[in-house]
Amino acid sequence: MEFKSHQLSPANLVSIFNSAFIDAQLTDDDLFCLLKDKRDVFIWVEKERNLINYFCQLALPQDFKESDARLLVNTYNSKLPLIKTYYQSNKNKSNINIIFRYEYALLEHDTVNPKTLVRLHRIFQEIIDNSGIVYRELFVKHDIWSISKKLLFMK
């Protein structure tokens, strides 16, 4: 079955993903479909703009600096295809969150089938998984070097 954007309510999205054996539920306010897969992903449709949104928020380590988050987001946005990333500092808490977002556009009379929605979710998850490689390239090399330096100078 094909769906137009106005037919993709959060409840319909939940039904589609549950049928694909992905744990999906409505959020408490019934505004979003929440997928409980490898990580929590929110999906909703902006009917006026004909956009299907995939959204995931992950916490960075407690001691992560805002300047490093800025570097990470800029690198993600230049190296990871299809998605946009942002960071958000929590003023009340001392942690920073990375936000991954993908917008799938439908033309005015386009339709989308459930397989495409599930495939887009899988691709979104895969891109987030691949972000770990970029993270390690940026930060783990530095950590290994600083640990090595400390060990060398301890002798």
Side-chain angles (χ1 to χ4, degrees):
M1 177 177 206
E2 298 281 321
F3 293 95
K4 290 190 171 278
S5 65
H6 73 275
Q7 296 172 309
L8 292 172
S9 67
N12 283 346
L13 290 169
V14 167
S15 177
I16 289 166
F17 284 99
N18 281 331
S19 295
F21 303 104
I22 297 172
D23 185 18
Q25 60 193 44
L26 283 174
T27 55
D28 291 338
D29 55 11
D30 293 340
L31 294 176
F32 306 100
C33 169
L34 172 60
L35 303 182
K36 300 287 220 172
D37 204 5
K38 292 180 185 177
R39 56 194 63 83
D40 290 352
V41 173
F42 293 87
I43 301 176
W44 72 95
V45 177
E46 290 180 55
K47 292 174 178 72
E48 350 29 87
R49 295 178 55 208
N50 281 342
L51 291 176
I52 301 168
N53 292 278
Y54 292 77
F55 176 95
C56 180
Q57 182 172 305
L58 301 174
L60 291 170
Q62 286 289 350
D63 58 345
F64 213 78
K65 294 183 222 134
E66 193 164 339
S67 59
D68 288 339
R70 197 171 313 118
L71 171 66
L72 182 62
V73 163
N74 289 335
T75 305
Y76 280 168
N77 285 330
S78 67
K79 290 190 175 191
L80 297 177
L82 303 175
I83 65 171
K84 285 290 181 201
T85 57
Y86 312 91
Y87 74 91
Q88 180 181 47
S89 298
N90 291 333
K91 303 300 180 206
N92 302 344
K93 302 175 185 173
S94 61
N95 69 327
I96 299 172
N97 293 326
I98 291 287
I99 297 165
F100 296 89
R101 186 166 179 180
Y102 173 62
E103 295 176 335
Y104 181 76
L106 293 170
L107 298 177
E108 190 173 339
H109 299 290
D110 272 354
T111 58
V112 64
N113 65 47
K115 286 182 181 178
T116 300
L117 293 170
V118 171
R119 193 173 317 121
L120 290 171
H121 169 65
R122 299 274 186 236
I123 291 169
F124 184 64
Q125 290 278 27
E126 188 176 313
I127 292 170
I128 295 172
D129 289 344
N130 291 337
S131 72
I133 296 168
V134 175
Y135 177 89
R136 285 188 295 279
E137 285 176 357
L138 283 174
F139 299 107
V140 173
K141 281 192 261 181
H142 172 72
D143 290 343
I144 290 171
W145 172 246
S146 64
I147 291 168
S148 300
K149 264 184 10 186
K150 288 177 185 174
L151 291 174
L152 284 173
F153 292 116
M154 288 176 76
K155 292 182 179 181

